[in-house]
Amino acid sequence: MKNIHYRGRFAPSPSGALHFGSLVAALGSFLRARHCQGLWLVRIEDIDPPREVHGAADDILRTLEAFGLHWDQQVIYQSQRHHDYQDQIADWLAHQQAYYCQCSRQQIRSRGGIYNGHCRQQQLDSGAIRWVNNQGCDHFIDQLQGPIHTDAAFAKEDFIIRRSDGFYAYQLAVVMDDIAAGITEVVRGADLLEATVRQISLFNALNAAVPDWLHLPLACQGPGSKLSKQNHATPVDKSHPQPALNAALAFLGQPQVEPCGEVALMIHQAIAQFDLESIPKQKEILLPQ
Ligand code: GLU
Ligand code: ZN
C-alpha cells in the first residue's frame, strides 16, 4: 500500500538533457519517495524560455523512463501555471506586499549588494516585482545536511518574484507549485540550500505547511563547479542505463544493484536497499576526472 502522506518530486529545468548530476537528484528523490512508499511527482520547470532547449523536456522524461524512474500523476508544466502566479502577484501588489523596482544590478551592487528596499515607497508601475519579505526566515534543519544558517541580510532581502522581462521568478513558482502539489519533502541538489530560507518565508506568507528539506551532495567537476547543462555535462545514456545507474547509486553511498538487463528489477532492488544514513553528508563531491 502506498503511503499517501509522503509526496516527493523531481523538478528539472528543460535547459538540456539529463546528465549525471541531474540523474543523482532524480534517483535520490525517487528512491527516498518509493522507500517511504510515497508518491513521486515530476514537474517541468519551463518558466525561463530564454534558457529552454527545444525538445529537452521530452528528452528528460524519456530518460527517466529508460532508467525505470516512473512518476505518479500527470507531469506538471510551469508554463501552464502563469495565471496562478499572476493572481498571487496581483493580490500582493494590491495589498502592498509586493512592489515594482527599477534598480539596476549595478545600483544594487553600489549599495552593498543586498537589495535594501529602495523602491518600496516609490509607487512605480513597471519593472521587476519584488516581494515585501517581512518573514526573513534565516535557518532551517535539513534532513541530511543538519542545521543550516544563512546570512540574515540575504534572508530578509525583498527578492524578485517577477523579472523585468516579465518572466516569473523561480522562487515564487517553485513554492506555489510545491504547495499546489502538496509536496511533503523536497529532495534536490545542495546548490539550492541557501535559497531554501527564501522559500520557507514564502510558504509561511502563503499559510502553507512547510515541507521537509533534504539536499543531496552535488556532483562537481572541481571545487564549486557543479556539473550542469550550461557547462555541457555529457547526457546519460538512455539506451544503456545500468552503468550510470550504479554510478549514481555509488555517488549516493548506496549499494550496487545486480546488472540483470532489466531496469525495473534493478530499480526494485535499489528501492529495497535504500538507506538515507549512507548518503554522504556533503554539499559537493568531486567526480574523478
Ligand atoms: N528546476 C530546478 C533545477 O533544475 C530545481 C528546482 C527544485 O528542485 O526546487 O535546478
Ligand atoms: Zn528598486
Side-chain angles (χ1 to χ4, degrees), residues 7 28 49 57-59 66 80 85 89 95 106 113 116 120 130 137 146 157 160-161 175 191 209 230 237 263 269 284:
R7 296 170 71 91
D58 276 346
D59 189 60
Q80 290 170 13
Y85 309 145
I89 291 175
H95 293 92
Q106 203 189 337
N116 64 359
R120 262 198 197 199
R130 290 182 181 271
C137 165
E157 184 177 55
I160 289 178
I161 52 175
V175 170
D191 51 336
Q230 282 69 45
D237 184 357
V263 80
Q269 194 189 349
E284 54 181 55

Side-chain angles (χ1 to χ4, degrees), residues 10 15 19 24 37 50 67 101 105 112 126 149 174 195 218 236 280:
F10 175 55
S15 53
H19 54 77
V24 164
Q37 295 173 312
F67 277 79
C101 163
R105 255 178 231 189
S126 66
H149 292 267
V174 74
L218 279 184
V236 291

Side-chain angles (χ1 to χ4, degrees), residues 24-279:
V24 164
L27 183 66
S29 62
F30 174 90
L31 292 178
R32 171 76 170 156
R34 291 292 184 243
H35 193 80
C36 295
Q37 295 173 312
L39 297 182
W40 186 67
L41 313 180
V42 170
R43 174 171 74 235
I44 299 291
E45 300 214 314
D46 54 351
I47 38 161
D48 194 354
R51 283 185 49 200
E52 195 166 332
V53 170
H54 185 74
D58 276 346
D59 189 60
I60 290 171
L61 296 175
R62 299 295 81 79
T63 308
L64 294 176
E65 287 172 336
F67 277 79
L69 306 178
H70 297 287
W71 55 90
D72 298 301
Q73 305 183 351
Q74 265 192 341
V75 174
I76 302 289
Y77 289 82
Q78 288 187 325
S79 55
Q80 290 170 13
R81 303 230 332 113
H82 288 188
H83 282 297
D84 285 27
Y85 309 145
Q86 191 49 45
D87 283 355
Q88 183 58 58
I89 291 175
D91 186 67
W92 277 331
L93 282 172
H95 293 92
Q96 288 75 50
Q97 285 161 10
Y99 59 91
Y100 286 98
C101 163
Q102 295 175 354
C103 299
S104 65
R105 255 178 231 189
Q106 203 189 337
Q107 285 170 318
I108 296 169
R109 223 176 298 133
S110 70
R111 295 185 209 123
I114 294 274
Y115 189 72
N116 64 359
H118 185 265
C119 297
R120 262 198 197 199
Q121 314 299 339
Q122 307 281 317
Q123 315 284 345
L124 302 170
D125 58 9
S126 66
I129 300 178
R130 290 182 181 271
W131 181 62
V132 177
N133 183 358
N134 290 323
Q135 302 275 331
C137 165
D138 64 0
H139 67 279
F140 68 99
I141 296 183
D142 189 85
Q143 302 297 311
L144 184 68
Q145 312 280 350
I148 302 295
H149 292 267
T150 61
D151 178 65
F154 168 84
K156 282 201 180 71
E157 184 177 55
D158 289 349
F159 54 84
I160 289 178
I161 52 175
R162 205 183 76 186
R163 298 167 8 189
S164 56
D165 57 12
F167 295 124
Y168 299 97
Y170 155 74
Q171 304 293 1
L172 176 70
V174 74
V175 170
M176 287 188 63
D177 293 350
D178 283 339
I179 294 172
I183 298 304
T184 59
E185 185 178 70
V186 170
V187 180
R188 60 186 177 193
D191 51 336
L192 291 162
L193 208 47
E194 275 232 308
T196 303
V197 292
R198 298 183 160 188
Q199 295 174 18
I200 294 172
S201 294
L202 284 175
F203 273 98
N204 288 333
L206 292 165
N207 290 316
V210 180
D212 288 337
W213 308 97
L214 199 165
H215 287 86
L216 301 169
L218 279 184
C220 289
Q221 289 166 314
S225 150
K226 76 159 183 165
L227 274 190
S228 74
K229 295 157 192 157
Q230 282 69 45
N231 61 30
H232 309 293
T234 329
V236 291
D237 184 357
K238 302 199 248 316
S239 60
H240 193 38
Q242 187 261 326
L245 180 60
N246 264 332
L249 285 168
F251 184 91
L252 290 169
Q254 306 298 310
Q256 298 289 282
V257 290
E258 313 276 339
C260 68
E262 185 63 74
V263 80
L265 290 178
M266 295 191 278
I267 286 293
H268 189 76
Q269 194 189 349
I271 296 168
Q273 294 174 344
F274 179 74
D275 175 29
L276 180 60
E277 289 307 307
S278 304
I279 303 179

